Amino acid sequence: DAVARLHILDSLVALPLVDEIAPTSALDLGSGGGLPGVLLAVARPEVHWTLVDSVGKKADAMRGFVDALNLPNVEVLAERAEPLGRGHGRESYDLVAARACAALPVLAEYALPLLRVGGTLLAWKGAPAAEELTAGAAASALLGGGVRPTDSPALGDHSFVLIRKIGPTPARYPRRPGEPGRRPLA
């Protein structure tokens, strides 16, 4: 019951927001054990999903899930967000989903370079403090985005924060691996 509620339902409760965004390509950042990406890919097979985790063993496990579930709409990458956002993943996605990944200013630097202009970061957050929202908004503004907390229902004390990419991300972002976490933008 706890796994179903805390992980499976918590992943699927975002489906109305995913449907509102209506992506053709989506990336699950820090996918770990495949949540929420694998579940969202099963629920929305018309979307091409890229599941990203920097840990190779986690990526290998997700590849096993994807193969076992026969999900042709899913690609798994073992890569850090920063090189992906500076390289072949830059401005490639309509949606970046991130569940329990990083504080909002750090997450903005990871995700916004990956989004096309007009794309959206969908972040699962615990009840975000006003300071985190303020810092996230400041970082997003530097990166071409605008923050919008939602009133969409989530489970327990979770909420969703949307960051819409409204302009291009400057070429200097993301910074080199590890730098966003060490020195968050704000």
Side-chain angles (χ1 to χ4, degrees):
D1 287 349
V3 169
R5 188 181 69 74
L6 293 173
H7 298 294
I8 296 171
L9 292 176
D10 190 50
S11 295
L12 294 175
V13 75
L15 284 173
L17 291 170
V18 171
D19 291 344
E20 179 183 312
I21 295 164
T24 58
S25 62
L27 182 139
D28 178 15
L29 189 59
S31 196
L35 299 174
V38 170
L39 295 173
L40 295 174
V42 168
R44 296 298 179 265
E46 69 281 4
V47 178
H48 180 268
W49 292 87
T50 302
L51 312 182
V52 177
D53 200 279
S54 63
V55 179
K57 287 183 178 185
K58 290 179 182 179
D60 289 342
M62 286 189 293
R63 284 186 192 99
F65 302 151
V66 168
D67 289 344
L69 293 168
N70 189 28
L71 298 173
N73 62 320
V74 178
E75 172 185 14
V76 178
L77 300 176
E79 195 165 348
R80 287 188 61 105
E82 301 96 333
L84 185 62
R86 292 187 80 66
H88 64 93
R90 189 169 185 92
E91 298 188 342
S92 297
Y93 300 94
D94 302 314
L95 169 68
V96 171
R99 182 176 176 265
C101 186
L104 211 46
V106 176
L107 186 55
E109 187 170 355
Y110 290 159
L112 286 172
L114 297 166
L115 288 167
R116 293 182 179 104
V117 173
T120 303
L121 166 62
L122 170 59
W124 280 248
K125 300 300 291 178
E131 303 88 39
E132 183 179 1
L133 288 172
T134 300
S140 295
L142 290 172
L143 299 163
V147 173
R148 175 173 73 96
T150 71
D151 292 330
S152 296
L155 296 178
D157 63 352
H158 283 93
S159 61
F160 293 110
V161 175
L162 298 175
I163 300 177
R164 180 113 169 128
K165 186 164 180 180
I166 54 178
T169 300
R172 67 181 174 272
Y173 298 110
R175 294 170 288 167
R176 65 179 195 267
E179 195 68 16
R182 282 190 297 274
R183 295 185 321 133
L185 298 173

